Amino acid sequence: NAGVTQTPKFQVLKTGQSMTLQCAQDMNHEYMSWYRQDPGMGLRLIHYSVGAGITDQGEVPNGYNVSRSTTEDFPLRLLSAAPSQTSVYFCASQRRGDSYEQYFGPGTRLTVT
Amino acid sequence: DAKTTQPNSMESNEEEPVHLPCNHSTISGTDYIHWYRQLPSQGPEYVIHGLTSNVNNRMASLAIAEDRKSSTLILHRATLRDAAVYYCILRTGKSTFGDGTTLTVKP
């Protein structure tokens, strides 16, 4: 059981470039979420999904796209990277329902120059 | 969206109990109260959660006020490895984490 995996671990982008952060889980969890964490701050919700084919926006969705074609995968796409998107990105998954805990991936550290 | 309020920081001595408070005055009747912690350079990890009754597990205890507008995470004997940021959240998976409480444990 690998849990929640994220790739890459580190990435440097130039302003205007696009890229996809990968997230996968092997626990058959229905819910998946993407967060960003800026230095010294808490985790802010970008997008979340309650099942394959269903996504919704979180608190800070601008500049990011998601899709959920399978239960296992929940990629996060940066359309045109900006320095303000420099952050650590965490993906998480959980079973359906609020009474279950989230499992977090190790994070992707993204720098946009 | 239901919000939580936590103190920015707390200190404790090693081997002493720690009580970390959280206010959630706009909690709805079906919201579970979740606690996570984040060690330096790691992703958050689950600590404990509850709905109405107090809860215990191997890591901590959760005391929930009768009106559910506040809760307290209790670490019974703090160790240096408990130094972390502790987050109290509602609606796990669909909520932003606040800034949490940074716990410093002094030897």
Side-chain angles (χ1 to χ4, degrees):
Chain A
N1 224 347
V4 180
T5 58
Q6 292 183 239
T7 56
K9 284 189 169 49
F10 302 94
Q11 183 71 48
V12 179
L13 289 179
K14 293 190 190 313
T15 297
Q17 287 184 317
S18 62
M19 80 159 295
T20 299
L21 307 186
Q22 301 291 346
C23 175
Q25 51 94 8
D26 61 359
M27 297 173 282
N28 205 30
H29 286 169
E30 294 88 351
Y31 286 13
M32 295 186 75
S33 307
W34 274 104
Y35 299 86
R36 60 175 287 174
Q37 185 172 36
D38 299 334
M41 296 182 67
L43 283 77
R44 290 185 291 171
L45 184 65
I46 305 172
H47 286 283
Y48 65 95
S49 169
V50 299
I54 306 168
T55 63
D56 209 343
Q57 295 182 349
E59 182 187 10
V60 289
N62 291 341
Y64 307 95
N65 271 0
V66 292
S67 60
R68 184 102 179 266
S69 56
T70 67
T71 299
E72 295 78 19
D73 300 297
F74 191 41
L76 178 72
R77 279 181 281 278
L78 279 70
L79 308 172
S80 177
S84 60
Q85 293 178 304
T86 294
S87 193
V88 180
Y89 291 84
F90 290 101
C91 179
S93 74
Q94 71 177 81
R95 290 176 62 183
R96 184 195 312 272
D98 192 36
S99 63
Y100 297 101
E101 71 252 37
Q102 280 186 292
Y103 294 80
F104 283 82
T108 293
R109 186 173 296 273
L110 176 68
T111 302
V112 183
T113 62
Chain B
D1 229 16
K3 299 290 186 194
T4 63
T5 305
Q6 300 177 252
N8 287 337
S9 62
M10 293 186 66
E11 279 190 356
S12 170
N13 293 319
E14 199 176 9
E15 311 263 318
E16 289 186 356
V18 182
H19 290 233
L20 298 166
C22 180
N23 286 321
H24 27 80
S25 58
T26 59
I27 191 171
S28 76
T30 57
D31 285 337
Y32 280 78
I33 301 154
H34 291 256
W35 284 82
Y36 289 81
R37 73 178 186 182
Q38 187 175 24
L39 302 171
S41 301
Q42 294 187 26
E45 63 175 351
Y46 168 80
V47 177
I48 199 166
H49 75 282
L51 184 62
T52 55
S53 305
N54 295 345
V55 184
N56 300 300
N57 66 19
R58 64 174 180 80
M59 288 181 71
S61 295
L62 176 60
I64 301 172
E66 198 168 329
D67 63 4
R68 299 205 335 119
K69 294 185 186 300
S70 66
S71 61
T72 302
L73 179 71
I74 302 164
L75 307 179
H76 295 286
R77 290 181 66 206
T79 70
L80 297 178
R81 287 175 296 178
D82 291 322
V85 180
Y86 287 80
Y87 299 99
C88 164
I89 68 165
L90 311 176
R91 299 179 196 158
T92 182
K94 303 178 186 175
S95 297
T96 276
F97 285 46
D99 291 338
T101 297
T102 300
L103 176 65
T104 302
V105 181
K106 296 183 287 185

mmCIF file of all heavy atoms in Angstrom, chain A residues 89-110:
data_model
loop_
_atom_site.group_PDB
_atom_site.id
_atom_site.type_symbol
_atom_site.label_atom_id
_atom_site.label_comp_id
_atom_site.label_asym_id
_atom_site.label_seq_id
_atom_site.Cartn_x
_atom_site.Cartn_y
_atom_site.Cartn_z
ATOM 1 N N TYR A 89 2.878 22.105 -2.555
ATOM 2 C CA TYR A 89 1.557 21.594 -2.898
ATOM 3 C C TYR A 89 1.370 20.204 -2.301
ATOM 4 O O TYR A 89 2.209 19.316 -2.484
ATOM 5 C CB TYR A 89 1.389 21.550 -4.418
ATOM 6 C CG TYR A 89 1.315 22.918 -5.019
ATOM 7 C CD1 TYR A 89 2.476 23.634 -5.319
ATOM 8 C CD2 TYR A 89 0.088 23.530 -5.266
ATOM 9 C CE1 TYR A 89 2.417 24.918 -5.848
ATOM 10 C CE2 TYR A 89 0.016 24.811 -5.796
ATOM 11 C CZ TYR A 89 1.179 25.494 -6.075
ATOM 12 O OH TYR A 89 1.115 26.759 -6.597
ATOM 13 N N PHE A 90 0.268 20.042 -1.582
ATOM 14 C CA PHE A 90 -0.059 18.754 -0.970
ATOM 15 C C PHE A 90 -1.353 18.217 -1.562
ATOM 16 O O PHE A 90 -2.325 18.950 -1.740
ATOM 17 C CB PHE A 90 -0.231 18.885 0.538
ATOM 18 C CG PHE A 90 1.040 19.166 1.283
ATOM 19 C CD1 PHE A 90 1.345 20.441 1.717
ATOM 20 C CD2 PHE A 90 1.929 18.132 1.563
ATOM 21 C CE1 PHE A 90 2.514 20.703 2.404
ATOM 22 C CE2 PHE A 90 3.108 18.389 2.246
ATOM 23 C CZ PHE A 90 3.389 19.668 2.668
ATOM 24 N N CYS A 91 -1.343 16.936 -1.810
ATOM 25 C CA CYS A 91 -2.534 16.215 -2.238
ATOM 26 C C CYS A 91 -2.971 15.329 -1.079
ATOM 27 O O CYS A 91 -2.119 14.844 -0.309
ATOM 28 C CB CYS A 91 -2.192 15.369 -3.463
ATOM 29 S SG CYS A 91 -3.547 14.382 -4.095
ATOM 30 N N ALA A 92 -4.268 15.122 -0.944
ATOM 31 C CA ALA A 92 -4.775 14.288 0.144
ATOM 32 C C ALA A 92 -5.957 13.473 -0.352
ATOM 33 O O ALA A 92 -6.633 13.851 -1.318
ATOM 34 C CB ALA A 92 -5.189 15.144 1.336
ATOM 35 N N SER A 93 -6.214 12.358 0.314
ATOM 36 C CA SER A 93 -7.380 11.552 -0.024
ATOM 37 C C SER A 93 -8.025 11.047 1.256
ATOM 38 O O SER A 93 -7.400 10.988 2.315
ATOM 39 C CB SER A 93 -6.991 10.368 -0.919
ATOM 40 O OG SER A 93 -6.322 9.359 -0.178
ATOM 41 N N GLN A 94 -9.310 10.688 1.153
ATOM 42 C CA GLN A 94 -10.014 10.101 2.286
ATOM 43 C C GLN A 94 -11.219 9.340 1.763
ATOM 44 O O GLN A 94 -11.674 9.556 0.638
ATOM 45 C CB GLN A 94 -10.473 11.178 3.268
ATOM 46 C CG GLN A 94 -11.620 12.051 2.758
ATOM 47 C CD GLN A 94 -12.091 13.062 3.779
ATOM 48 O OE1 GLN A 94 -11.490 14.115 3.945
ATOM 49 N NE2 GLN A 94 -13.183 12.752 4.466
ATOM 50 N N ARG A 95 -11.743 8.489 2.611
ATOM 51 C CA ARG A 95 -12.982 7.812 2.274
ATOM 52 C C ARG A 95 -14.131 8.818 2.285
ATOM 53 O O ARG A 95 -14.040 9.874 2.910
ATOM 54 C CB ARG A 95 -13.263 6.689 3.269
ATOM 55 C CG ARG A 95 -12.305 5.524 3.135
ATOM 56 C CD ARG A 95 -12.560 4.477 4.185
ATOM 57 N NE ARG A 95 -13.908 3.906 4.063
ATOM 58 C CZ ARG A 95 -14.396 3.003 4.902
ATOM 59 N NH1 ARG A 95 -13.685 2.588 5.921
ATOM 60 N NH2 ARG A 95 -15.609 2.525 4.729
ATOM 61 N N ARG A 96 -15.211 8.467 1.597
ATOM 62 C CA ARG A 96 -16.367 9.354 1.523
ATOM 63 C C ARG A 96 -16.917 9.640 2.911
ATOM 64 O O ARG A 96 -17.096 8.740 3.711
ATOM 65 C CB ARG A 96 -17.460 8.703 0.672
ATOM 66 C CG ARG A 96 -18.682 9.587 0.453
ATOM 67 C CD ARG A 96 -19.862 8.747 -0.072
ATOM 68 N NE ARG A 96 -19.474 7.894 -1.172
ATOM 69 C CZ ARG A 96 -19.490 8.269 -2.442
ATOM 70 N NH1 ARG A 96 -19.856 9.507 -2.749
ATOM 71 N NH2 ARG A 96 -19.155 7.434 -3.380
ATOM 72 N N GLY A 97 -17.180 10.897 3.195
ATOM 73 C CA GLY A 97 -17.820 11.245 4.463
ATOM 74 C C GLY A 97 -16.879 11.974 5.390
ATOM 75 O O GLY A 97 -15.659 11.767 5.375
ATOM 76 N N ASP A 98 -17.445 12.806 6.228
ATOM 77 C CA ASP A 98 -16.666 13.676 7.099
ATOM 78 C C ASP A 98 -16.101 12.948 8.306
ATOM 79 O O ASP A 98 -15.269 13.491 9.026
ATOM 80 C CB ASP A 98 -17.550 14.838 7.572
ATOM 81 C CG ASP A 98 -16.743 15.926 8.226
ATOM 82 O OD1 ASP A 98 -15.601 16.179 7.773
ATOM 83 O OD2 ASP A 98 -17.228 16.515 9.197
ATOM 84 N N SER A 99 -16.507 11.710 8.526
ATOM 85 C CA SER A 99 -16.040 11.026 9.731
ATOM 86 C C SER A 99 -14.740 10.267 9.511
ATOM 87 O O SER A 99 -14.292 9.553 10.395
ATOM 88 C CB SER A 99 -17.118 10.062 10.230
ATOM 89 O OG SER A 99 -17.350 9.065 9.254
ATOM 90 N N TYR A 100 -14.140 10.417 8.339
ATOM 91 C CA TYR A 100 -12.904 9.704 8.040
ATOM 92 C C TYR A 100 -11.733 10.673 7.956
ATOM 93 O O TYR A 100 -11.898 11.842 7.630
ATOM 94 C CB TYR A 100 -13.032 8.941 6.722
ATOM 95 C CG TYR A 100 -14.083 7.872 6.775
ATOM 96 C CD1 TYR A 100 -15.343 8.080 6.209
ATOM 97 C CD2 TYR A 100 -13.835 6.661 7.413
ATOM 98 C CE1 TYR A 100 -16.311 7.103 6.269
ATOM 99 C CE2 TYR A 100 -14.805 5.687 7.480
ATOM 100 C CZ TYR A 100 -16.048 5.914 6.908
ATOM 101 O OH TYR A 100 -17.005 4.953 6.980
ATOM 102 N N GLU A 101 -10.539 10.159 8.216
ATOM 103 C CA GLU A 101 -9.379 11.042 8.200
ATOM 104 C C GLU A 101 -8.801 11.144 6.802
ATOM 105 O O GLU A 101 -8.968 10.262 5.966
ATOM 106 C CB GLU A 101 -8.293 10.533 9.146
ATOM 107 C CG GLU A 101 -7.576 9.292 8.697
ATOM 108 C CD GLU A 101 -7.968 8.077 9.518
ATOM 109 O OE1 GLU A 101 -9.158 7.985 9.882
ATOM 110 O OE2 GLU A 101 -7.075 7.244 9.776
ATOM 111 N N GLN A 102 -8.097 12.262 6.587
ATOM 112 C CA GLN A 102 -7.373 12.470 5.340
ATOM 113 C C GLN A 102 -5.969 11.894 5.436
ATOM 114 O O GLN A 102 -5.329 11.944 6.497
ATOM 115 C CB GLN A 102 -7.229 13.967 5.050
ATOM 116 C CG GLN A 102 -8.451 14.609 4.444
ATOM 117 C CD GLN A 102 -8.164 16.044 4.067
ATOM 118 O OE1 GLN A 102 -7.955 16.910 4.911
ATOM 119 N NE2 GLN A 102 -8.154 16.317 2.782
ATOM 120 N N TYR A 103 -5.499 11.379 4.305
ATOM 121 C CA TYR A 103 -4.130 10.931 4.175
ATOM 122 C C TYR A 103 -3.431 11.860 3.183
ATOM 123 O O TYR A 103 -3.953 12.096 2.092
ATOM 124 C CB TYR A 103 -4.071 9.492 3.653
ATOM 125 C CG TYR A 103 -4.642 8.482 4.622
ATOM 126 C CD1 TYR A 103 -6.014 8.288 4.727
ATOM 127 C CD2 TYR A 103 -3.802 7.728 5.442
ATOM 128 C CE1 TYR A 103 -6.542 7.365 5.610
ATOM 129 C CE2 TYR A 103 -4.318 6.797 6.330
ATOM 130 C CZ TYR A 103 -5.693 6.624 6.407
ATOM 131 O OH TYR A 103 -6.203 5.719 7.292
ATOM 132 N N PHE A 104 -2.273 12.365 3.592
ATOM 133 C CA PHE A 104 -1.582 13.353 2.771
ATOM 134 C C PHE A 104 -0.380 12.744 2.067
ATOM 135 O O PHE A 104 0.298 11.850 2.599
ATOM 136 C CB PHE A 104 -1.099 14.527 3.631
ATOM 137 C CG PHE A 104 -2.212 15.476 4.008
ATOM 138 C CD1 PHE A 104 -3.048 15.192 5.071
ATOM 139 C CD2 PHE A 104 -2.421 16.633 3.281
ATOM 140 C CE1 PHE A 104 -4.082 16.053 5.406
ATOM 141 C CE2 PHE A 104 -3.453 17.498 3.611
ATOM 142 C CZ PHE A 104 -4.285 17.204 4.680
ATOM 143 N N GLY A 105 -0.108 13.269 0.881
ATOM 144 C CA GLY A 105 1.113 12.930 0.183
ATOM 145 C C GLY A 105 2.286 13.717 0.742
ATOM 146 O O GLY A 105 2.106 14.598 1.595
ATOM 147 N N PRO A 106 3.506 13.452 0.234
ATOM 148 C CA PRO A 106 4.709 14.101 0.767
ATOM 149 C C PRO A 106 4.900 15.527 0.275
ATOM 150 O O PRO A 106 5.750 16.245 0.797
ATOM 151 C CB PRO A 106 5.841 13.201 0.264
ATOM 152 C CG PRO A 106 5.289 12.596 -0.976
ATOM 153 C CD PRO A 106 3.828 12.421 -0.756
ATOM 154 N N GLY A 107 4.127 15.950 -0.712
ATOM 155 C CA GLY A 107 4.224 17.322 -1.182
ATOM 156 C C GLY A 107 5.130 17.472 -2.395
ATOM 157 O O GLY A 107 6.023 16.667 -2.642
ATOM 158 N N THR A 108 4.842 18.536 -3.162
ATOM 159 C CA THR A 108 5.684 18.965 -4.284
ATOM 160 C C THR A 108 6.079 20.408 -4.022
ATOM 161 O O THR A 108 5.215 21.267 -3.822
ATOM 162 C CB THR A 108 4.924 18.891 -5.623
ATOM 163 O OG1 THR A 108 4.643 17.532 -5.951
ATOM 164 C CG2 THR A 108 5.754 19.520 -6.741
ATOM 165 N N ARG A 109 7.385 20.650 -4.007
ATOM 166 C CA ARG A 109 7.877 22.025 -3.784
ATOM 167 C C ARG A 109 8.091 22.671 -5.143
ATOM 168 O O ARG A 109 8.942 22.235 -5.914
ATOM 169 C CB ARG A 109 9.172 21.996 -2.987
ATOM 170 C CG ARG A 109 9.680 23.378 -2.578
ATOM 171 C CD ARG A 109 10.879 23.264 -1.648
ATOM 172 N NE ARG A 109 10.539 22.621 -0.399
ATOM 173 C CZ ARG A 109 10.063 23.247 0.672
ATOM 174 N NH1 ARG A 109 9.884 24.558 0.630
ATOM 175 N NH2 ARG A 109 9.809 22.588 1.774
ATOM 176 N N LEU A 110 7.296 23.695 -5.441
ATOM 177 C CA LEU A 110 7.331 24.364 -6.744
ATOM 178 C C LEU A 110 7.875 25.772 -6.599
ATOM 179 O O LEU A 110 7.430 26.535 -5.734
ATOM 180 C CB LEU A 110 5.923 24.431 -7.338
ATOM 181 C CG LEU A 110 5.791 25.196 -8.656
ATOM 182 C CD1 LEU A 110 6.499 24.450 -9.774
ATOM 183 C CD2 LEU A 110 4.333 25.434 -9.020
#
